[in-house]
Amino acid sequence: MKYRFALSSGRLGGILVIMALCLVPATTSTFFTSAVALPTLWLGLSTASLTFLAGYGGMVSLAQTALFGVGGLIMARLTVEQGWNGWIAALVGVLAATAVGLVFGAIASGSKDIYFLVITLAFAEVIYLYFAASSTFGAHEGINGIEPPAVLGDPVLQPVRMYFFTVALCLLVYVVMKRIARTAFGLAMQGVRDDPERMTALGFHVRAHRMLGFAIAAPVAGLAGVLSAWSNTRMSAGSVSLNVTLMVLAAAVIGGLARLEGAWIGALIYVVFDTYLRGWTGRYMTWLGLIFLVIVLVSPGGLAGLTAQLKGLISMMQQRRQRAASTLSTPAGASARSEGPDHV
Amino acid sequence: MGTPVAPAERRLHIRAGTVVWSLALLLALAGVLGQAFSRGFGNDGNVPTFVIITLNGLSLAGLYYITASGFTLIFGLMRITNLAHGGLFLLGGYVALDIAGQGVPWVVAALGAMVAAGIAGLVMHQLFLRWNQGQDLRQALLTIALSMILADLMLAQFGATPRDFAPPAWLADSLSLPLYGLSYPAFRIAIIAAAVLLSVLFWWVMGHTRIGILVRAGVDDGDMTSAIGVNIQRLFAGVFFVGSALAGLGGLFAGTVLSLAPGQDQAFLVSSLVVVIVGGMGSLRGAAVGALLLGLVDQYASAYLPSFLSNLSALLVFVLLAVVLAVRPTGLWGSAS
């Protein structure tokens, strides 16, 4: 048997995206790379940790931004105040985010759907209030003057190294999350998403699966926090306020909760709005909210699910045309209704 | 067979958790009471401060109850998680402020706040939520989008500077209490009274009127209620109006004792959520208990927590949530479905 590399449309798309990502620093300005491309990547990473939980686990967790803050602020505290090595501090930050995520997961895993969303929202607010009150983390001021490890260069003036480092991590997380979704655990988690009662009856420990899913998503959010702190050279409680939490949710929904790549699509839209529309209209939040509203109303799969929806629509129209053209009466009832993923 | 083992294990697990949490709770209570009464009950002891802090806690609880009861009423009947509740709360406050600025009596401004929030909620329900009844996640996302839009439009309309709202003349003074010669703002007492009145009103309407019977029937089985000839959509619309109006009333009170500013909407959304998570989503009794717990924990923590722990007072809310959810995942009076 000879292995042949099949160039599916998915693979082709992946290669094109990677090529485009590699071309960004060379073809665009430094401003674009550091103020649009880089934030899109780390915001997308944070959003991806939500999309992973929502898409594969049915858990719309609003605590991911809080974990993002835990990772970033602990790293910042250790490097700026304690003078730790950046890499070790980053590792500790990510591990701390994972630990907090495990505690959150342990408590919230007994709930599902809307309860889960509401409980994690309360968790997120508690973390925000803690950071805003705690002088250890600079309270509202936050921590300034965070320097990424020297290898990564200056994130504002020469963002190229930081950019490629972040691209590499995003790709890694994307591939690993896709892989996890196809493991036995990932399939069981999707089972838990679709029908927890049946999974319990089959002998699966539903809470443990939800918790483990949370434990996988938490370090990703923490990592995004570290990358954000490095790219911005500062971080404060305001970086994890409820506003930001809801923004990340909006980005995730606009991108599409059912597909992992939607996280970065949504993040891109959010960052572009934030960067360009802010100067153009003071009401950019209203516009973002309207887009969010329209997406929830018309396309439950988000922008990433829009292609599938369009395909379904086109094939439905083709079938109709064929049916109308053929003089033979075809059995009715086999109508091709196309809908987005059913769980949003 | 193997079945009897599982319940026994489960019971043991809950007991261990309950013991730990009860101990922690007793310790906290002992800390508070110890500090409050350690110097006797005299005028020079700590008791007068304790009374004031308790009243602060109660008036905060009243504010939480008024706001959260609207949220839980809507959730209980329609299973809609209205995450724009905080937005309606702030809208009520701002509208009252604007109407009162025209020189009308306070009561008219209060009514205006309730009607404005109620109508905004009703429009939201009729336009965006009514037709996807049952898709609760989608409805929650819709209300988040609406709350973002509402918050931004209110920022444009009312500005970012905190504003507050003067109490009516007959509630502006302090009321002297028959205890230790203390006096306490009459308006805060009025909030406590309003919350108590509201809970009595709920108890009477729910238990003793036709509307209450219809609402309870709708909570139990909406389809069946509809099938026996009740116009359930009208009931839904009415309850959504009342629930939103209560948010507006909360905003009105908060505008006087606190202040109205962007961000207050989210702060009160979250405290309403904590209240109903603790009490059980959809339960009015649970909302009362949850509001009391949250209000008192908040005030006692900021007054009695040792200074080296005062950073952690925000985390106490989390502890409260964790304790309740560890023992009862659906809250104190919540039902599973």
Side-chain angles (χ1 to χ4, degrees):
Chain A
M1 293 283 275
K2 209 171 140 192
Y3 177 76
R4 281 176 59 196
F5 185 77
L7 197 64
S8 68
S9 64
R11 279 205 177 117
L12 187 66
I15 291 169
L16 285 177
V17 166
I18 293 174
M19 277 167 59
L21 282 173
C22 290
L23 284 175
V24 165
T27 52
T28 62
S29 63
T30 308
F31 169 78
F32 186 86
T33 310
S34 75
V36 177
L38 202 47
T40 300
L41 289 173
W42 57 253
L43 187 66
L45 204 54
S46 167
T47 313
S49 97
L50 163 60
T51 306
F52 174 78
L53 282 177
Y56 297 120
M59 297 177 275
V60 183
S61 160
L62 295 185
Q64 301 316 105
T65 330
L67 302 177
F68 168 93
V70 170
L73 277 165
I74 285 184
M75 185 281 294
R77 162 85 193 170
L78 290 176
T79 45
V80 175
E81 314 271 325
Q82 249 88 350
W84 282 35
N85 173 294
W87 299 109
I88 297 174
L91 187 66
V92 173
V94 170
L95 288 179
T98 314
V100 175
L102 263 174
V103 174
F104 283 2
I107 300 169
S109 60
S111 317
K112 57 173 184 171
D113 302 339
I114 211 72
Y115 292 90
F116 195 89
L117 183 141
V118 166
I119 288 168
T120 50
L121 179 63
F123 288 172
E125 182 71 358
V126 166
I127 292 280
Y128 162 70
L129 288 176
Y130 172 70
F131 281 141
S134 166
S135 52
T136 318
F137 295 100
H140 276 294
E141 267 304 284
I143 298 175
N144 295 309
I146 305 164
E147 281 177 18
V151 190
L152 298 178
D154 185 317
V156 181
L157 298 176
Q158 281 159 331
V160 178
R161 285 181 177 187
M162 190 72 205
Y163 173 80
F164 278 110
F165 179 64
T166 313
V167 166
L169 283 178
C170 287
L171 288 174
L172 182 73
V173 166
Y174 178 78
V175 170
V176 168
M177 279 184 160
K178 280 272 182 192
R179 271 284 153 86
I180 288 176
R182 270 182 283 162
T183 59
F185 162 74
L187 293 175
M189 197 165 87
Q190 291 169 59
V192 167
R193 170 196 71 198
D194 293 336
D195 198 335
E197 282 80 17
R198 190 179 291 181
M199 291 302 278
T200 311
L202 286 172
F204 286 89
H205 197 308
V206 167
R207 276 190 88 150
H209 277 81
R210 290 203 184 114
M211 248 179 86
L212 193 54
F214 223 89
I216 292 170
V220 174
L223 180 66
V226 169
L227 291 171
S228 150
W230 279 348
S231 313
N232 289 337
T233 70
R234 55 179 300 279
M235 194 172 210
S236 67
S239 321
V240 297
S241 70
L242 195 54
N243 246 337
V244 179
T245 305
L246 296 182
M247 281 300 160
V248 169
L249 179 69
V253 172
I254 290 173
L257 284 179
R259 294 177 71 94
L260 213 47
E261 49 271 38
W264 282 276
I265 299 176
L268 178 65
I269 289 179
Y270 171 69
V271 173
V272 165
F273 265 62
D274 194 43
T275 314
Y276 298 107
L277 216 59
R278 200 190 273 274
W280 199 53
T281 159
R283 302 274 67 80
Y284 85 105
M285 279 276 288
T286 305
W287 289 106
L288 199 66
L290 280 174
I291 294 187
F292 184 14
L293 190 72
V294 169
I295 289 283
V296 180
L297 286 174
V298 301
S299 170
L303 290 180
L306 212 57
T307 46
Q309 222 175 1
L310 281 177
K311 266 185 208 159
L313 205 69
I314 290 168
S315 73
M316 191 174 75
M317 280 164 68
Q318 278 174 346
Q319 276 178 0
R320 273 207 190 140
R321 203 179 303 151
Q322 280 170 1
R323 212 175 296 160
S326 68
T327 44
L328 291 162
S329 63
T330 45
S335 63
R337 272 187 72 196
S338 98
E339 278 174 17
D342 58 332
H343 61 276
V344 170
Chain B
M1 310 298 273
T3 36
V5 179
E9 263 177 5
R10 190 174 159 70
R11 210 174 301 145
L12 194 71
H13 166 75
I14 287 176
R15 254 184 215 152
T18 315
V19 166
V20 171
W21 294 122
S22 312
L23 277 178
L25 199 70
L26 278 179
L27 201 71
L29 209 63
V32 169
L33 294 179
Q35 287 187 56
F37 298 114
S38 61
R39 288 204 277 153
F41 292 85
N43 254 337
D44 51 348
N46 291 330
V47 182
T49 327
F50 176 74
V51 172
I52 293 292
I53 292 168
T54 307
L55 282 173
N56 282 344
L58 288 178
S59 60
L60 196 59
L63 194 54
Y64 287 155
Y65 175 69
I66 291 169
T67 313
S69 63
F71 180 91
T72 211
L73 192 68
I74 290 172
F75 183 84
L77 182 63
M78 286 167 265
R79 298 275 138 181
I80 293 177
T81 313
N82 181 13
L83 295 172
H85 201 69
L88 297 172
F89 164 95
L90 194 56
L91 180 71
Y94 276 138
V95 167
L97 197 70
D98 261 22
I99 300 178
Q102 314 287 320
V104 297
W106 188 86
V107 177
V108 178
L111 276 176
M114 292 179 71
V115 170
I119 287 178
L122 189 64
V123 168
M124 222 164 73
H125 176 242
Q126 295 296 315
L127 284 184
F128 297 107
L129 303 172
R130 179 181 164 165
W131 51 272
N132 40 41
Q133 186 64 34
Q135 296 169 278
D136 42 9
L137 186 57
R138 196 175 187 192
Q139 288 175 324
L141 293 176
L142 284 172
T143 58
I144 289 180
L146 289 167
S147 78
M148 281 166 59
I149 298 170
L150 195 59
D152 196 47
L153 292 179
M154 283 193 289
L155 178 66
Q157 180 69 30
F158 300 104
T161 38
R163 296 160 72 183
D164 47 26
F165 184 43
W170 46 281
L171 284 175
D173 292 331
S174 280
L175 210 66
S176 55
L177 304 179
L179 282 164
Y180 301 104
L182 292 171
S183 61
Y184 197 73
F187 192 78
R188 281 176 173 256
I189 304 262
I191 292 181
I192 301 176
V196 172
L197 206 69
L198 185 65
S199 56
V200 172
L201 192 69
F202 270 135
W203 168 81
W204 180 72
V205 170
M206 287 301 180
H208 298 84
T209 64
R210 188 177 148 72
I211 302 243
I213 291 169
L214 291 183
V215 170
R216 280 187 294 141
V219 170
D220 277 348
D221 193 336
D223 292 342
M224 188 49 85
T225 313
S226 180
I228 58 172
V230 175
N231 186 347
I232 195 119
Q233 283 303 336
R234 211 168 59 190
L235 191 68
F236 281 176
V239 165
F240 214 99
F241 179 85
V242 171
S244 306
L246 284 171
L249 184 66
L252 167 89
F253 284 137
T256 303
V257 288
L258 304 165
S259 63
L260 299 171
Q264 272 305 53
D265 50 346
Q266 292 172 349
F268 268 82
L269 171 66
V270 172
S271 37
S272 296
L273 292 181
V274 172
V275 164
V276 299
I277 294 168
V278 168
M281 284 174 71
S283 158
L284 285 166
R285 189 170 25 162
V289 174
L292 270 176
L293 275 174
L294 187 64
L296 289 175
V297 163
D298 187 284
Q299 291 300 309
Y300 286 150
S302 57
Y304 291 117
L305 219 57
S307 56
F308 69 97
L309 287 179
S310 60
N311 268 344
L312 299 177
S313 67
L315 292 185
L316 268 185
V317 176
F318 176 74
V319 174
L320 180 70
L321 276 176
V323 171
V324 172
L325 290 175
V327 184
R328 289 188 62 90
T330 50
L332 295 175
W333 277 278
S335 56
S337 59

